[in-house]
Amino acid sequence: RPRVFSGIQPTAGSFHLGNYLGAVRQWIPLQESHDAFYSVVDLHAITVPQDPKALREATRLAAAQLLGAGLDPERCTLFVQSHVPEHTQLAWVLNCVTGFGEASRMTQFKDKSAKQGVEGTTVGLFTYPTLMAADILLYQTDQVPVGGDQRQHVELTRDLAQRVNGRYGQLFRLPSAHILKEAAKVQDLQDPLSKMSKSSSSPKGIVWMLDPPKTSAKKFRSAVTDTGTEVRYDPENKPGLSNLLTIYSALSGLSVAELEEKFDGQLYGPLKTELAELFTEWVTPIQARTREFLDDPAELDRVLATGAEKARPVAAETLTRVHEAVGFLPGL
Ligand code: AQP
């Protein structure tokens, strides 16, 4: 079966709707058709400052949310990135074949480092993409289901894989990004020209998966839209409304054209209210299942330990071949 790998950072509080619609939503069906490896990427999380206790909680919470959303540890391998040390080991080798200029061109790094300033930017943030490449290449991944913002990182991963294969022989399978056409990028509800993002969205512009229904409903109802009256998908002139239509479509399964017809002749209010109701109806069972998993941390830890046990031999096989190919002596 073809292999997929994807990761998500542990986030204090919960994932946001963008993470879910862009990435996690694809992970669930892929565990049926593919050999799927999914990771809570705590090594990536510490590229920005983290409180240790909050990080531990966020890591369990991330796992609980993934299970609550429908991942099944019998059907996929779910593990915590730091439990498989091969990720950092391969990342080092990849750092040594990545050009400084090439890494400097990553737009996510440029955006985040511009916000944090030189002194606030860690070397870890700079090498985030090579660690991500290691995550993917260790598992001989065919496809990487991610949101549209990660396309450039997956392309870098392919470039690095090709370079290493060219230099040392066939060590890595070439992965490609698996990005949904719809909702590849969910925008901030208050600033629809920017991506919904845990670090830069305004508090009212970001819908958290564990928001109480009253809170999320308020966010949808107060979403920024243009002053027009026609419900029409037009990202250029109506970015806010178009974002709401995209979210509505992803949650309901109705096409955007069907939604335009459904809300034809109505103002934006009914669309926002119905979307808020739809979200609540959809997210309530996910929230309930997430809480059930959170109530049993010992079971969560057991699931994650089993996942790491399944992931390690696969990762170790790739790493051993890489170490041998670059000229390291075999270890004891
Ligand atoms: N707004 C989004 N629309 C669609 N997909 C998105 N993803 C993130 N935001 C959106 C996808 O979610 C997956 C996991 O993301 P991550 O945890 O690795 O963190 P991220 O991409 O860095 O998410 P944020 O919220 O945007 O964090 P910050 O603010 O730190 O940059 C990925 O597949 C991503 O594409």
Side-chain angles (χ1 to χ4, degrees):
R1 296 209 295 178
R3 176 92 34 100
V4 294
F5 173 91
S6 195
I8 188 158
Q9 294 185 62
T11 308
S14 77
F15 299 147
H16 57 70
L17 185 58
N19 296 138
Y20 183 88
L21 292 183
V24 178
R25 182 167 58 120
Q26 319 185 48
W27 297 9
I28 297 155
L30 285 169
Q31 64 183 343
E32 308 298 340
S33 52
H34 287 63
D35 188 14
F37 287 74
Y38 299 127
S39 185
V40 180
V41 291
D42 52 352
L43 298 171
H44 283 283
I46 64 162
T47 55
V48 294
Q50 298 285 343
D51 171 69
K53 182 167 175 274
L55 179 60
R56 261 189 292 279
E57 276 168 16
T59 303
R60 283 208 186 91
L61 176 62
Q65 285 188 89
L66 293 173
L67 295 167
L71 288 193
D72 177 353
E74 302 287 323
R75 296 189 152 73
C76 68
T77 302
L78 174 64
F79 66 100
V80 175
Q81 187 186 27
S82 63
H83 292 174
V84 181
E86 286 79 3
H87 288 250
T88 32
Q89 291 175 279
L90 180 60
W92 179 254
V93 177
L94 295 178
N95 279 338
C96 298
V97 297
T98 306
F100 187 83
E102 179 173 47
S104 308
R105 283 193 288 278
M106 295 294 110
T107 54
Q108 194 177 73
F109 173 74
K110 286 200 279 192
D111 291 349
K112 289 192 179 182
S113 57
K115 269 185 215 128
Q116 278 152 16
V118 181
E119 293 308 321
T121 300
T122 65
V123 174
L125 189 68
F126 185 61
T127 58
Y128 184 116
T130 43
L131 177 59
M132 178 166 158
D135 300 339
I136 296 166
L137 297 177
L138 269 180
Y139 298 95
Q140 304 295 341
T141 300
D142 296 290
Q143 284 177 359
V144 191
V146 281
D149 58 325
Q150 294 298 327
R151 188 186 291 282
Q152 193 188 30
H153 289 165
V154 180
E155 272 161 20
L156 174 72
T157 304
R158 265 180 88 87
D159 289 347
L160 295 179
Q162 270 169 324
R163 188 172 310 157
V164 170
N165 287 350
R167 215 175 272 182
Y168 300 108
Q170 187 60 36
L171 290 167
F172 300 130
R173 204 172 291 176
L174 291 190
S176 50
H178 191 276
I179 297 172
L180 293 173
K181 270 203 206 80
E182 327 76 41
K185 202 162 163 211
V186 175
Q187 304 292 69
D188 182 316
L189 298 189
Q190 288 297 314
D191 173 14
L193 295 177
S194 308
K195 159 184 116 131
M196 189 180 285
S197 157
K198 64 177 176 293
S199 55
S200 58
S201 296
S202 50
K204 278 170 34 191
I206 183 161
V207 177
W208 300 103
M209 292 291 286
L210 294 179
D211 267 347
K214 264 195 183 155
T215 310
S216 54
K218 213 168 154 198
K219 289 175 183 171
F220 282 118
R221 281 199 309 265
S222 56
V224 166
T225 39
D226 59 280
T227 51
T229 52
E230 194 193 350
V231 175
R232 180 168 48 84
Y233 183 79
D234 178 354
E236 207 165 297
N237 299 305
K238 294 170 171 277
L241 183 73
S242 302
N243 188 38
L244 295 180
L245 284 169
T246 303
I247 296 172
Y248 199 129
S249 165
L251 293 180
S252 65
L254 294 171
S255 69
V256 167
E258 284 169 319
L259 291 175
E260 285 174 337
E261 201 169 309
K262 177 172 156 68
F263 291 100
D264 185 33
Q266 299 190 40
L267 299 178
Y268 300 161
L271 168 78
K272 291 180 179 177
T273 308
E274 276 199 35
L275 176 55
E277 283 164 10
L278 176 67
F279 176 76
T280 299
E281 206 175 296
W282 168 80
V283 87
T284 302
I286 297 181
Q287 291 184 347
R289 284 198 300 271
T290 300
R291 285 201 192 92
E292 277 172 33
F293 286 108
L294 273 182
D295 283 344
D296 194 350
E299 170 63 7
L300 265 184
D301 289 353
R302 194 196 58 77
V303 166
L304 294 173
T306 309
E309 257 168 50
K310 277 176 18 193
R312 271 204 84 172
V314 183
E317 192 183 325
T318 300
L319 185 74
T320 303
R321 291 181 48 227
V322 171
H323 276 183
E324 200 184 330
V326 300
F328 295 163
L329 282 178
L332 297 174

